[in-house]
Amino acid sequence: MSPKDIVNKMYKNDPFSQWLNIKFIHIDKGTCKVSLVIEEKMTNGFHIAHGGICYSLADSCLAFAANTLGHIAVTKKTSVKYIKKANIADELIAIATPMKENKFYTVEIVNQANEKIAHFEGEVHYTSQSWS
């Protein structure tokens, strides 16, 4: 399967990423760029984006990027550092980049003004099962 076919299959079976209304900007082997727009239902009691939304966007982006290499990948460990708040109607853009042996990824999240919102790091485990 091609990287785009893998991601399309994943997304079709991923109701949470669909709820986030994730849009795909770029998909390639080992990398992915996605976006979403912050809606009111995604905010917390301070009327800013809930941290879980930013985290979830990065986590989905990581999963899509890692799986494009052809084997089913699952997340083992992640961390996120929030840098700037996101508001209703902000577009968040996440870019996953592979690091060491494609087992470690960074995901940078920026807003529509290219301001850094968060930095996410993750480690994945590749199973022996391939996408087919």
Side-chain angles (χ1 to χ4, degrees):
M1 293 180 80
S2 74
K4 287 182 182 178
D5 289 340
I6 291 168
V7 170
N8 287 335
K9 187 172 185 177
M10 290 176 68
Y11 189 76
K12 182 180 174 185
N13 294 307
D14 184 348
F16 189 73
S17 290
Q18 292 174 26
W19 180 83
L20 290 172
N21 201 21
I22 289 176
K23 303 296 183 202
F24 295 93
I25 299 168
H26 179 76
I27 301 165
D28 205 352
K29 197 168 187 177
T31 65
C32 191
K33 183 176 183 180
V34 298
S35 70
L36 63 72
V37 175
I38 301 297
E39 300 175 30
E40 186 173 1
K41 66 183 176 184
M42 299 173 173
T43 62
N44 60 23
F46 300 106
H47 302 289
I48 59 175
H50 189 285
I53 298 299
C54 193
Y55 179 93
S56 296
L57 176 64
D59 188 51
S60 288
C61 188
L62 165 65
F64 296 136
N67 278 276
T68 62
L69 294 175
H71 278 83
I72 293 178
V74 294
T75 305
K76 288 174 68 172
K77 179 174 136 180
T78 63
S79 65
V80 64
K81 177 180 179 184
Y82 299 103
I83 298 162
K84 183 178 173 94
K85 69 179 179 173
N87 298 300
I88 295 172
D90 279 352
E91 178 184 24
L92 300 185
I93 302 154
I95 305 106
T97 305
M99 306 301 280
K100 305 173 195 168
E101 302 169 358
N102 294 320
K103 291 183 180 181
F104 297 91
Y105 283 78
T106 60
V107 181
E108 299 299 331
I109 300 176
V110 297
N111 65 13
Q112 67 279 359
N114 206 34
E115 299 169 316
K116 192 178 233 186
I117 300 298
H119 175 83
F120 179 96
E121 295 180 352
E123 179 182 0
V124 298
H125 167 74
Y126 289 95
T127 70
S128 60
Q129 186 176 359
S130 63
W131 285 95
S132 53

